Amino acid sequence: MTEKVYARNVEALKSGTVIDHIPAGQGLRILRLFQLAEYRERVTVGLNLPSGHMGSKDLIKVENVVLSEEQANELALFAPRGTVSVIEDFAVVRKQKLAIPDTVEGIFACPNSNCVSHVEPVQSHFSVRVTEHDTKMKCKYCEKVFSKDIVVDVR
């Protein structure tokens, strides 16, 4: 009989938000795009952590920050099977499965350099459509459609 050894890969969080089940390789992108380090709170990032059903995953813990439901769902563009847990006094008080939003506002810049959103004081706005192999985003202003990976890289 073999003895199982359990060890925590990441320190427990007293209060804040845990974003789990992020596909490996997307954690730093989410950290950067959603400016999670800008809250000036302790952020713990785990990359390529072992996962029973994903093989490997990334994980982000942000202390003393609670994401809104809208912010959490915007994360679904990069982690469609992700979960966002709100932690209080080391216990999960709310766990949210993510859902890809119909629209995303104010996060990404339009890749079209001729789009009016680059010269007018407007907030970016994309409608989101999931296809079999990609997630497409349509700019409200220039009406061009882009892969989400192209939109992400221009922020």
Side-chain angles (χ1 to χ4, degrees):
M1 184 168 164
T2 60
E3 183 177 325
K4 289 187 175 183
V5 177
Y6 295 97
R8 287 187 179 258
N9 291 317
V10 182
E11 183 180 342
L13 187 66
K14 182 176 182 183
S15 65
T17 300
V18 176
I19 306 166
D20 198 2
H21 303 106
I22 302 169
Q26 297 294 313
L28 291 178
R29 175 182 271 185
I30 288 172
L31 187 70
R32 180 178 51 87
L33 287 171
F34 293 89
Q35 301 175 335
L36 297 174
E38 302 298 318
Y39 288 100
R40 314 288 289 168
E41 296 288 345
R42 183 167 57 166
V43 177
T44 305
V45 179
L47 303 175
N48 299 314
L49 301 173
S51 169
H53 70 279
M54 296 175 72
S56 62
K57 67 178 182 179
D58 293 349
L59 177 135
I60 300 172
K61 294 183 174 188
V62 185
E63 196 169 69
N64 299 320
V65 172
V66 176
L67 299 179
S68 69
E69 186 173 334
E70 181 182 19
Q71 289 173 308
N73 283 333
E74 289 167 349
L75 294 171
L77 291 169
F78 310 96
R81 295 183 182 172
T83 57
V84 173
S85 299
V86 177
I87 309 296
E88 291 179 7
D89 202 23
F90 296 104
V92 176
V93 295
R94 189 179 75 214
K95 192 168 198 166
Q96 177 183 359
K97 288 202 177 255
L98 304 182
I100 294 177
D102 294 331
T103 60
V104 177
E105 295 181 42
I107 294 180
F108 310 112
C110 181
N112 176 9
S113 60
N114 293 324
C115 179
V116 71
S117 65
H118 292 286
V119 292
E120 296 292 328
V122 294
Q123 193 173 45
S124 68
H125 185 111
F126 292 92
S127 58
V128 178
R129 183 172 52 95
V130 178
T131 63
E132 187 174 332
H133 301 290
D134 195 7
T135 300
K136 302 288 186 184
M137 298 176 69
K138 181 178 180 181
C139 176
K140 173 182 174 182
Y141 303 104
C142 69
E143 299 185 343
K144 293 195 180 285
V145 178
F146 306 94
S147 166
K148 77 166 176 36
D149 293 328
I150 293 171
V151 174
V152 167
D153 288 341
V154 297
R155 182 174 185 176

